[in-house]
């Protein structure tokens, strides 16, 4: 699950954005104070940050400038319609995107999806290597032929390494809230993955935790 930090001191906007994002399956954290937001952005690996400019204690531009010295977390800045200067300054110092207030939530969601996708992640577990930007999975250098759902499920388990994932969690994240069908589909895809990885290479990658779900350690 992608974790989005919402830095916004107007509580009404923050709550609205947070609810919408959680409805879309994101995990969110809301912080209204600039300095606190900067510290949190450095301390945690957020998948994306929505950053308001006018904030108490430290403004958004300054947060971004400092953050870019240590991290490349995708940042979308929120600017008021009349503050073109903020937009230019933000992009200059490394914002990935901007959106002007007031904004349509669909537009913000689209920007979030586009910017999260750009983030590259390479996971390595033993001889298994997964590149989420190119969607390539290999085992000991050999390409694994996975369908999109198999790939997404594998990545979800790996992103949550050492945590037991329930069928319901996997279903919501990989298939989406609007998927109509039973959680058995998760078991079916786990079997596909095991056939292509565990069985093929004689390893025990995906463990079943009876009564709970699945885990990769
Ligand atoms: Ca503000």
């Amino acid at each position: 699950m992608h974790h989005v930090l919402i830095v916004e001191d107007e509580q009404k906007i923050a709550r609205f954005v947070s609810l919408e994002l959680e409805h879309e399956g994101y995990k969110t954290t809301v912080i209204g104070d600039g300095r606190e937001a900067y510290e949190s952005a450095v301390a945690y690996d957020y998948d994306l940050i929505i950053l308001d400019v006018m904030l108490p204690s430290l403004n958004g531009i300054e947060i971004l400038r400092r953050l870019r010295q240590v991290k490349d977390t995708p940042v979308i800045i929120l600017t008021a319609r009349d503050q073109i200067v903020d937009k230019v300054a933000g992009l200059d110092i490394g914002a990935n995107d901007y959106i002007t207030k007031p904004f349509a939530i669909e537009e913000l969601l689209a920007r979030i999806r586009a910017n999260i996708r750009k983030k590259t992640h390479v996971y390595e577990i033993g001889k298994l290597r997964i590149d989420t930007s190119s969607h390539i999975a290999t085992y000991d250098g050999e390409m694994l032929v996975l369908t999109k759902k198999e790939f997404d499920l594998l990545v979800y388990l790996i992103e949550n390494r050492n945590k037991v994932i329930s069928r319901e969690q996997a279903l919501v994240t990989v298939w989406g809230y609007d998927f109509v069908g039973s959680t058995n589909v998760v078991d079916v895809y786990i079997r596909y993955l095991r056939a292509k990885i565990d069985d093929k290479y004689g390893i025990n990658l995906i463990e079943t935790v009876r009564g709970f779900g699945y885990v990769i350690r």
Side-chain angles (χ1 to χ4, degrees), residues 36-85:
E36 211 181 299
Y38 167 72
E39 283 164 9
S40 181
V42 172
Y44 298 97
D45 265 331
Y46 293 106
D47 293 294
L48 184 130
I49 300 170
I50 297 169
L51 186 61
D52 184 28
V53 175
M54 298 296 283
L55 293 163
S57 85
L58 195 64
N59 74 48
I61 299 297
E62 191 55 27
I63 292 173
L64 180 61
R65 195 185 63 76
R66 295 187 191 182
L67 184 68
R68 279 291 172 264
Q69 293 170 6
V70 289
K71 272 189 170 176
D72 63 353
T73 314
V75 171
I76 298 176
I77 46 175
L78 292 179
T79 68
R81 194 174 286 283
D82 53 349
Q83 286 168 316
I84 305 296
V85 174

Side-chain angles (χ1 to χ4, degrees), residues 14 21 50 117 121 129 179-180 193:
L21 262 61
I50 297 169
R117 258 201 300 271
H121 256 314
R129 186 176 189 280
F179 177 77
V180 182
L193 282 175

Side-chain angles (χ1 to χ4, degrees), residues 12-200:
K12 237 177 97 179
I13 297 178
R15 198 173 310 130
F16 169 65
V17 171
S18 168
L19 281 173
E20 290 287 338
L21 262 61
E22 294 197 348
H23 181 72
E24 293 291 316
Y26 296 98
K27 181 181 170 190
T28 65
T29 295
V30 174
I31 298 179
D33 176 78
R35 199 168 295 276
E36 211 181 299
Y38 167 72
E39 283 164 9
S40 181
V42 172
Y44 298 97
D45 265 331
Y46 293 106
D47 293 294
L48 184 130
I49 300 170
I50 297 169
L51 186 61
D52 184 28
V53 175
M54 298 296 283
L55 293 163
S57 85
L58 195 64
N59 74 48
I61 299 297
E62 191 55 27
I63 292 173
L64 180 61
R65 195 185 63 76
R66 295 187 191 182
L67 184 68
R68 279 291 172 264
Q69 293 170 6
V70 289
K71 272 189 170 176
D72 63 353
T73 314
V75 171
I76 298 176
I77 46 175
L78 292 179
T79 68
R81 194 174 286 283
D82 53 349
Q83 286 168 316
I84 305 296
V85 174
D86 290 340
K87 182 175 104 185
V88 174
L91 292 175
D92 265 357
I93 57 174
N96 301 71
D97 212 340
Y98 67 88
I99 195 161
T100 45
K101 290 198 240 181
F103 52 86
I105 192 69
E106 291 74 19
E107 193 188 347
L108 179 61
L109 290 171
R111 302 271 172 118
I112 291 170
R113 280 193 295 272
N115 283 285
I116 280 186
R117 258 201 300 271
K118 284 178 197 160
K119 211 173 122 181
T120 306
H121 256 314
V122 173
Y123 296 104
E124 283 181 306
I125 295 184
K127 292 176 179 172
L128 180 69
R129 186 176 189 280
I130 292 173
D131 184 331
T132 60
S133 60
S134 59
H135 277 253
I136 288 175
T138 56
Y139 190 87
D140 202 11
E142 196 175 290
M143 180 97 77
L144 300 174
V145 182
L146 304 177
T147 65
K148 187 179 183 308
K149 283 282 181 273
E150 290 166 357
F151 187 89
D152 291 348
L153 180 59
L154 181 61
V155 169
Y156 181 54
L157 286 166
I158 287 174
E159 279 175 342
N160 291 283
R161 215 171 151 175
N162 296 320
K163 274 195 279 184
V164 180
I165 298 301
S166 71
R167 289 165 181 80
E168 290 75 18
Q169 286 172 313
L171 197 69
V172 166
T173 308
V174 177
W175 279 266
Y177 278 100
D178 47 2
F179 177 77
V180 182
S182 98
T183 55
N184 288 342
V185 70
V186 177
D187 302 319
V188 171
Y189 274 79
I190 291 285
R191 278 207 294 279
Y192 293 157
L193 282 175
R194 280 182 172 150
K196 291 180 179 182
I197 306 170
D198 297 52
D199 300 349
K200 188 172 177 197

Side-chain angles (χ1 to χ4, degrees), residues 8-10 52 54:
E8 170 62 82
D9 59 325
E10 281 170 71
D52 184 28
M54 298 296 283

